Amino acid sequence: MSTRTALTVPRLRRLDPLGALLAAAGAVAAVFLPFVVLKSNRIVPGDPRALLEVLPAWGALGCQVILICAALAALRVSNPRVRLGAALLGVVAVALAVAAAGDALTPAGNKVVRVSPGAGFWVLLVCLGLMATDATTRMRPGPGLRVLLLAVSIAVAGLALAHGTFDHLSVMREYAVNADRFAREARQHVWLALGSLAAAVLVALPTGILCHRVPRLRSGVLGTLNVIQTIPAIALFGILMAPLGALAAAVPLAAALGIRGIGAAPAAVALFLYSLLPIAANTVAGLKRVPRAAVEAARGMGMTSWQILTGIELILALPVILTGIRIVLVQNIGMVTVAALIGGGGLGTFVFQGIGQTAIDLVLLGAIPIVTLAFSAAVVLDALAEVLDRARQ
Amino acid sequence: MPGVAAILRFAALALLLAFLLMPQSFAPLFAPLTQYGAPPIYDQGNLLTLALAHLGLVCCAAAASTIVAVGLGIVVTRPSGAQFLPLSRTLVNIGQTFPPVAVLAVTVPLVGFGEKPTLIALFAYGLLPIFENTIVALQTCPPQVLEAASGMGMSARQRLLSVELPLALPLILEGIRLSLVINIGTATIGSTVAAKGLGEVIIAGLLSNNNAFILQGGLVTGLMAILLYDALAGLERRICRTAHLE
């Protein structure tokens, strides 16, 4: 306990350097940068509005009080729980303020006016997010708590979206226009990422086991898979289009199955190829980590080599294999975005459409769900690997 | 085995150079992929110029991200910056879940079309692997070595420059290699926002339904990525070897 007091006392006396940096950046953003941008339609340049201009007096005051409390907590409080609470309260306040600004600036029934969050909002959100992230990191939450925090955050955000809190903001305007397509592309995105992952597990797991058993194969096989990894996604998609197109032209059955040079097929094949290396390499690494004594003991008990593989080796190697699967899933969710370029669908469709129209709202409509998906996949699989790793010991 | 690898490497380099310098001599190879008499070799620009522009873009971004990432990595591993270390770690982990395309896409509406958004996105995304490897490398320096250095009367600055950084170099180089390879791919997508590069060839092929263009763009970028990866891996091995000999 004595070391702990020694650590906390000086921290209380002087300012927390990270907190000071975040509070300063947040204060500058709140005072000098536009909180929202008002556009009379989707194309024209926007008209910046400050926090005080867009909210009713009591709302602006409340929001500022909460932000000042968060800043004080960042500067003076060392207890991570308090810091996390203050940061999350700040996030909620800023989000509600931007939603209220959207409501206040949109004339009733007007569907042309666009209210986008401005630079001030984003900087504030990043500062508060960093504060929350830092506090969470210092709390060292276990795997269960991490998943719970993620689930609660997503549920709160989802409820707010479903309730229509943000309906007057530009991103949600884009969503309202594209609602049915959004559901379809999101399903396609998840389907492509998970489908290629499943296929890759079916192939890479046996390959990894084989490479473990036959060391001569190892460098050749893993080296080849490594070369595939270095080929840029769009290039591999392009390269695969030619043979798949030829296959569809030559084999009517392939065409009937939906295999074509353009569309989801080359994307799925490319993602599958990219997924092989991390899973195969981690299978080899995981199996290498299995203690020789465990295998010997199992053999002494009269287990067959198949029983040893499925009952001992794979179970013990599972955490490492799962880490490989996590890498692949996060990577796939990101790469499916590029598939939109070759007609493969997915949320990337909105991203590239948005780039084409310089409509950042449309880009965000694609990019935010992609990042959320990838982040959630990483948190959940990390937690799972940690739980399994603990169970193993 | 090293013989085979050397031959493959040389063949890949020769093929790449031959194609970039005399693309027309490969026309008969690509002709079967085109339809309705479309040109078999990309003709809307010089392939060599595009490849150099592509490489230039990637290298500029990588140089900038190396300077910033190594600098930041040094700052957060010093005692004065220790407060920022846990956060930087978490940020690196979170950052890796961002797809490079998303970074690129968000930059475009902010700074407009052309080289600028691509450069910014490549810079931002390239930071992560280098930063992460710098932190790991500087933190895993053997404590005995550091104590010996202090015992010899080295100042903190001398210790950093002549002990810690040389020891960390192989891992930092690995980070640079990773970020270069990722960026060669991302720069291809930069062509969708009008950056000059090899993506132009692929996009032209996608737009005019010309498989020959797509294949050319894909093969040239792929070969460049593989050769660069291989060359940097060789450089790393050489540096490691000299470090161990000393």
Side-chain angles (χ1 to χ4, degrees), chain A residues 11 16-18 21 130 133-134 137-138 219 226-227 229-235 237-239 241-242 262 326 330 333-335 337-338 341-342 351-352 354-356 358-360 363-364 367 370-371 374-375 378, chain B residues 1 33 80 83-84 86-87 89-91 93-94 96-102 104-106 108-110 112-113 181 184-186 188-189 192-193 199 202-203 206 209 211 214-215 217-219 221-222 225-226 229:
Chain A
R11 203 184 278 165
D16 182 300
L18 176 67
L21 190 68
L130 286 176
T133 314
D134 177 57
T137 312
R138 287 188 200 179
S219 72
N226 203 0
V227 167
Q229 286 265 316
T230 56
I231 303 176
I234 185 175
F237 288 157
I239 291 170
M241 285 170 74
I262 208 157
R326 167 212 189 267
V330 170
I333 292 174
M335 264 185 200
T337 319
V338 189
L341 272 185
I342 53 164
V351 173
F352 285 109
I355 292 181
T358 21
I360 196 166
V363 171
L364 289 179
I370 294 171
V371 172
F375 181 65
Chain B
M1 276 313 271
L33 291 169
S80 52
Q83 280 266 319
F84 295 89
L87 179 66
R89 281 244 158 119
T90 318
L91 282 185
N93 285 335
I94 295 179
Q96 268 156 358
T97 61
F98 277 64
V101 196
L104 181 68
V106 175
V108 177
L110 297 179
F113 284 90
V181 169
I184 284 194
T186 315
T188 334
I189 300 160
T192 55
V193 299
I202 301 178
I203 308 272
L206 288 173
N209 205 1
N211 280 334
I214 301 178
L215 200 61
L219 286 179
T221 3
I226 292 168
Y229 181 87

Side-chain angles (χ1 to χ4, degrees), chain A residues 323-334:
Chain A
T323 317
I325 291 180
R326 167 212 189 267
I327 296 172
V328 166
L329 189 55
V330 170
Q331 175 185 298
N332 274 1
I333 292 174

Side-chain angles (χ1 to χ4, degrees), chain A residues 278-304:
Chain A
I279 303 179
N282 276 41
T283 308
V284 173
L287 289 175
K288 218 188 262 174
R289 215 177 60 147
V290 174
R292 188 172 281 266
V295 178
E296 298 293 328
R299 194 163 293 143
M301 281 163 64
M303 284 169 99
T304 65

Side-chain angles (χ1 to χ4, degrees), chain A residues 185-195 329 333 336 346-347 373:
Chain A
E185 302 295 6
R187 257 201 313 276
Q188 170 86 343
H189 200 101
V190 174
W191 180 237
L192 267 175
L194 286 180
L329 189 55
I333 292 174
V336 175
L347 291 164
L373 269 177

Side-chain angles (χ1 to χ4, degrees), chain A residues 361-388:
Chain A
D361 304 320
L362 197 53
V363 171
L364 289 179
L365 180 65
I368 294 175
I370 294 171
V371 172
T372 314
L373 269 177
F375 181 65
S376 315
V379 170
V380 170
L381 283 179
D382 265 344
L384 199 60
E386 206 177 311
V387 168
L388 284 176

